[in-house]
Amino acid sequence: MFTLALVALIISSTVSALLLKRAAECLTDDQPKATLQAASLSLAFIGFAALADLLIALLVVSSDMDLQTFQRLLSNLAYYAAIPLLASAMLVSARNSHWSRPAWGRWLIGLFALFELLRRMEHGEIYTQVVAVAVSAVMLAAVFMTSQKRLRNATLLAALNMAVALLLTGPGNLVASPLTDNNYLYPLLLAGALPLSAMAIKQMIRFDLRQIK
């Protein structure tokens, strides 16, 4: 079941990343385009991490320290950088206050640096939970900042799916639950949350650009 959940996550993240990449190619406005590209990049990171998990599960090479390290790096990239990056893209889309491409790059580097700093300070476990809470809060905040009811419903659905995935089944889960015993639930729920998030971001940007015209 875990393997099937990882396959679902790989497909979900890949399709969502391509959806946003193609949407970005159709835009001429640099800042909304940069938001779509940042979100697409975050989805690609999540897909690469899931692919690494799948390869290790299929090849049964858990004793290989080099592969373990590589897999851990990608998992950290997905959780501590890609997921917060996706939530940030949803928030700026809801506010219609987009960042430039260099600003997105600096934010991504900042996420890397923050994780590494707290890891070295041995606050990694607390930070893992902070990420789960912060991402859920940011995505829910995006719901209230979305002006159109139709868009708000799509954003709410994406935010709730992500919150359930992170707070109940993810690495930073806050509630002791039997759900955490099923290792396939986190990638499976994440696979459901990603396309919803991608569609919400795309629709918010498309709506705002139409309003300008």
Side-chain angles (χ1 to χ4, degrees):
M1 192 65 182
F2 180 62
T3 300
L4 293 177
L6 289 175
V7 171
L9 180 55
I10 293 168
I11 293 172
S12 171
S13 58
T14 302
V15 170
S16 300
L18 290 175
L19 173 72
L20 295 187
K21 181 177 181 295
R22 290 176 181 174
E25 291 171 351
C26 299
L27 299 184
T28 55
D29 193 323
D30 284 342
Q31 291 192 340
K33 185 173 185 177
T35 298
L36 288 171
Q37 290 172 333
S40 178
L41 181 63
S42 71
L43 292 163
F45 286 157
I46 295 170
F48 282 129
L51 180 60
D53 287 340
L54 179 63
L55 291 176
I56 287 179
L58 291 177
L59 297 175
V60 194
V61 288
S62 57
S63 60
D64 190 314
M65 293 303 296
D66 289 337
L67 285 175
Q68 275 189 329
T69 301
F70 180 66
Q71 183 271 339
R72 192 178 302 112
L73 286 172
L74 288 178
S75 294
N76 289 341
L77 175 65
Y79 187 84
Y80 297 103
I83 291 177
L85 191 68
L86 183 65
S88 302
M90 180 173 285
L91 183 63
V92 301
S93 298
R95 296 179 63 231
N96 192 25
S97 178
H98 298 281
W99 299 350
S100 65
R101 192 173 290 106
W104 281 112
R106 288 192 292 270
W107 176 228
L108 182 59
I109 293 171
L111 290 170
F112 292 150
L114 183 60
F115 163 69
E116 184 61 21
L117 175 64
L118 292 173
R119 186 187 69 82
R120 290 178 180 273
M121 293 174 64
E122 299 183 355
H123 296 318
E125 184 175 349
I126 295 175
Y127 184 56
T128 301
Q129 295 179 329
V130 168
V131 168
V133 173
V135 167
S136 301
V138 165
M139 294 184 75
L140 287 171
V143 176
F144 296 102
M145 293 181 183
T146 304
S147 57
Q148 289 296 309
K149 183 177 180 181
R150 180 175 62 85
L151 296 178
R152 192 181 302 124
N153 291 338
T155 308
L156 177 61
L157 192 58
L160 289 177
N161 274 267
M162 184 64 78
V164 170
L166 295 178
L167 298 176
L168 297 183
T169 63
N173 65 85
L174 300 180
V175 181
S177 167
L179 294 176
T180 57
D181 296 331
N182 300 315
N183 64 349
Y184 64 87
L185 282 179
Y186 175 60
L188 194 60
L189 289 170
L190 196 58
L194 296 184
L196 293 170
S197 302
M199 286 301 300
I201 292 169
K202 178 184 175 182
Q203 288 175 2
M204 285 187 286
I205 291 177
R206 178 179 291 177
F207 175 80
D208 290 330
L209 292 176
R210 284 177 179 172
Q211 291 295 102
I212 294 173
K213 293 178 181 179

